[in-house]
Amino acid sequence: MDKKKLTERDICTKYINPALQNAGWNIQTQVLEEHPITDGRIIVRGRLHTRGKRRRADYVLSYKKNMPIAIIEAKDNNHSLGDGMQQALAYSDALDAPFVFSSNGDGFLFHDRTGLFGKTETTLSLDEFPSPETLWELYCQYKGIHQNARQTVEQPYYDDGSGRTPRYYQTVAINRTVEAVARGQNRILLVMATGTGKTFTAFQIIWRLWKSKQKKRILFLADRNILVDQTKNNDFKPFGQAMTKVTNRTVDPSYEIYLSLYQAVTGSEDEQNIYKQFSPDFFDLVVIDECHRGSASVDSAWRQILEYFSAATHIGLTATPKETREVSNIDYFGEPVYTYSLKQGIEDGFLAPYKVVRIDLDRDLQGWRPSKGQTDKHGELIEDRIYNQKDFDRQLVLEKRTEVVARKVTEFLEQTDPYQKTIVFCEDIDHAERMRQALVNLNPARVKENRKYVMRITGDEQEGKAELDNFINPEERYPVIATTSKLMTTGVDAQTCKLIVLDQRIQSMTEFKQIIGRGTRINDDYNKHWFTILDFKKATELFADPAFDGDPVKVYEPKAGESVVPDDEQETLEPDATELPLSEEAEGYEVEPGETWHRDDSKPTWPTEDEEKSKRVKYVVGDVEVSVIAERVQYLGPDGKLITESLKDFTRKKVKEQYATLTDFLKGWNQAERKQAIIEELAEQGVMWDDLIKDVSKKLGAEPDPFDVICHIVYDQPPLSRKERAEQVRKQNYFSKYEGASKQVLDALLDKYTDDGIEPIEDMKVLTIAPFSNIGAPMELLQAFGGKPGYTEALKDLENQLYQQTS
């Protein structure tokens, strides 16, 4: 047998698999072949999307299921032994597997990342491949897992029999956490972007620690009732009768898994703190969901629970670790054992990419000043000063501004999909209610169909809060638009939300990331693969902040005697006030009007008469015109960065990187076997065809071909519409050399091109649909051209005629 003639797959079957079996590896249970690691980045082209290439490892070897320890990259025998090593090392980085092999069928090049095997890279013969036990012993030694911790680390994952397996990053997060607990680490932080399955990850961690009896009583803390209920009914369901939710401020010590709101177990008085009904050593493990919130603050009531159960292991889960002057998760938990970022999630294809539309309003940028002695709609004398964006809807309401925002939202929905789930983030409850009214008045037909087309979902109003479940349920059509302020910023699993509207001034990176996270979930069943951010308050300027989507950054570490100045979210608090979420409205929930923050040990204070008089008034002005002065579209490029230049400039730059001159482009276009391949290639590099075509269409009054879009925008050529190109071909009497069925087919192809563009006519499947199916069966139509080669040649000729340059 000539090994050089074998394919890579043949090398795997004939040489690598037998070597693994001889070393004691079970091919069925310990070896995954051609294992997909990522889903492939979602690439958006207008309103269409496709998947980028998945990353696949030729072999992933696991000591036990979902516990990868080794990677093998295979090549055919025309490659050297180590040609696959760098690729294998990249997979090793992702999967946290320290033993890396490359093979061409002659043997193995072994790269040992633990430093325990001897040399870093060693050449092994086929019969020298290490056994599972050998690598597992080295792995445990490398990870510091002693013999008495093995039972915990080797405890299997929960398997419901459906075939569902954790994604690669979930596996890494789960394994690292379980290993850390088994080693005796008692404070652990996991950072995972919104939408990446933190709760499922937490379930598997708890399951393995519970089943191995490493941890016998577990408390799972969340800060919202909906989060606790979602967790109990979905991911945590397998715990069954061993699990309870703490309700009615009572404690039953007979369970093993407890789910609770912080607010359900804390209060401002000791007798309200029902967690003290448990002994301090009752729980072995406390898992804190969304731990960037109250638990991060040293003085918070929530932190008191953690201090009370300080003997337990604490695991914090967050998408946005809070690192400010006053609040630090890293101080409490230590550095994260694992971080999986929004950028990485989008790159891997597990999170949805997005497009940003920034809209500038004249009053926001230019400001507004009342005339001397001017009063508002309620007769209040308006303080004489210049009001600008940071004042609107907080201190001054311009009613027509609300109408303009609502009109642009409605316009966007009408031009895309009026039933796409939409969240409008407003400054406060009053703003959310006014926005609801404005949207209702602009969508009378939709509201007539169903009064819940637009709903205000805020913490103060039961009717709206009751619709939250329906809003996040993909199977429920209504509500479509939710206006809110704080209630929906975190933990709302809105899988099908396609539009996020920011009419809220956001200064906190933590809050900004959480809001963006409402749109990042993917739902294939409901065609949700990307989303749009409509920004009226320059909130997306935070994309330029180095802290956005980077690793957690330590901003400040208070030293002894150093003053602690409240940070962005705390800037309105008094110096002696602190972050105390004492009710379900706290820290991200709506707060009752007039409610203030109080320390646990302070007595209520009431405003003096003078303070009452100086209390801030929100002025309402109804007769000031507001208009849009700028509208910019920004795109998330292939590198994960927002494209901030104009779309046309970006397109020119990208196209000229490949085709420096018009001649180069024409040559590439004409020589391409499929024109669609060039279109797709440019789309992958960030060229947004839909918006470009729309722009050129306005000039033409008809839709252009992508060819004309490029020629016009990049090379300043006059564009033609598809209809004009088709008519040009007909004028040349092109069809005279054909007759019968072949002439009919080409005529229909030209019509199809006019209606739908180049893509469908380049696909052979077009012959199976009307009007082609009315002319004859696909095989008959091909025979009319003398067979498939003749048809392909005729199609190529037709394309050449279409794209002949005209003056």
Side-chain angles (χ1 to χ4, degrees), residues 353-365:
Y354 48 87
K355 178 165 65 174
V356 179
V357 180
R358 286 182 175 163
I359 298 174
D360 294 332
L361 305 179
D362 56 354
R363 297 298 175 185
D364 286 15
L365 300 187

Side-chain angles (χ1 to χ4, degrees), residues 46-102:
R47 295 177 197 171
L48 304 176
H49 79 278
T50 187
R51 284 274 185 184
K53 192 176 179 182
R54 287 185 174 192
R55 294 178 70 197
R56 295 178 186 271
D58 288 336
Y59 288 87
V60 177
L61 309 185
S62 300
Y63 183 68
K64 288 204 168 184
K65 190 176 180 182
N66 299 316
M67 300 179 198
I69 57 174
I71 303 293
I72 306 173
E73 183 61 27
K75 297 294 180 186
D76 65 40
N77 201 248
N78 294 300
H79 291 79
S80 71
L81 197 65
D83 268 3
M85 181 52 72
Q86 292 192 156
Q87 194 175 346
L89 286 168
Y91 295 144
S92 163
D93 288 339
L95 294 173
D96 214 20
F99 307 115
V100 191
F101 300 84
S102 174

Side-chain angles (χ1 to χ4, degrees), residues 19 130 133 171 185 302 366 392 560 722 745:
E133 289 71 25
T171 299
Q185 186 174 329
W302 300 6
Q366 298 162 5
F392 295 142
R722 292 199 304 262
V745 168

Side-chain angles (χ1 to χ4, degrees), residues 596-654:
T596 57
W597 297 98
H598 307 284
R599 295 178 63 91
D600 272 5
D601 55 359
S602 68
K603 293 180 180 178
T605 56
W606 304 99
T608 64
E609 197 171 310
D610 287 340
E611 286 172 331
E612 273 294 323
K613 287 178 182 176
S614 64
K615 195 173 176 181
R616 179 173 62 83
V617 173
K618 185 185 284 189
Y619 305 114
V620 180
V621 179
D623 57 355
V624 175
E625 295 296 329
V626 179
S627 61
V628 174
I629 58 172
E631 196 165 340
R632 306 185 302 285
V633 181
Q634 290 187 301
Y635 304 87
L636 188 75
D639 59 355
K641 300 290 185 184
L642 271 183
I643 299 163
T644 54
E645 57 200 307
S646 80
L647 185 55
K648 289 181 182 177
D649 289 342
F650 175 78
T651 303
R652 285 188 197 101
K653 185 172 78 176
K654 280 297 171 189

Side-chain angles (χ1 to χ4, degrees), residues 12-25:
C12 293
T13 305
K14 297 179 186 299
Y15 296 96
I16 298 177
N17 285 6
L20 293 175
Q21 287 173 306
N22 291 338
W25 292 88

Side-chain angles (χ1 to χ4, degrees), residues 176-191:
R176 283 193 186 179
T177 304
V178 170
E179 289 164 6
V181 173
R183 287 193 302 266
Q185 186 174 329
N186 281 324
R187 299 292 181 266
I188 297 163
L189 180 62
L190 271 180
V191 179

Side-chain angles (χ1 to χ4, degrees), residues 350-451:
F350 296 124
L351 295 179
Y354 48 87
K355 178 165 65 174
V356 179
V357 180
R358 286 182 175 163
I359 298 174
D360 294 332
L361 305 179
D362 56 354
R363 297 298 175 185
D364 286 15
L365 300 187
Q366 298 162 5
W368 177 78
R369 184 178 180 180
S371 56
K372 188 175 182 180
Q374 184 173 348
T375 57
D376 75 347
K377 283 183 70 173
H378 305 302
E380 290 281 350
L381 178 66
I382 304 172
E383 181 187 347
D384 184 15
R385 64 179 180 84
I386 295 174
Y387 294 85
N388 55 32
Q389 190 181 68
K390 68 182 180 183
D391 299 307
F392 295 142
D393 297 302
R394 285 174 177 260
Q395 296 187 329
L396 177 79
V397 173
L398 296 181
E399 291 184 323
K400 292 192 177 181
R401 186 189 178 285
T402 307
E403 290 171 18
V404 169
V405 172
R407 195 178 310 122
K408 295 304 289 185
V409 173
T410 301
E411 183 183 311
F412 181 90
L413 291 171
E414 285 177 348
Q415 291 178 5
T416 52
D417 171 12
Y419 292 99
Q420 62 190 297
K421 297 280 184 172
T422 300
I423 304 176
V424 185
F425 287 99
C426 303
E427 294 288 0
D428 54 23
I429 293 172
D430 168 62
H431 186 198
E433 172 56 23
R434 286 185 289 102
M435 188 62 69
R436 183 198 68 79
Q437 293 174 25
L439 286 163
V440 164
N441 288 330
L442 286 166
N443 293 272
R446 309 280 180 212
V447 174
K448 189 175 181 181
E449 285 173 18
N450 191 303
R451 70 175 181 82

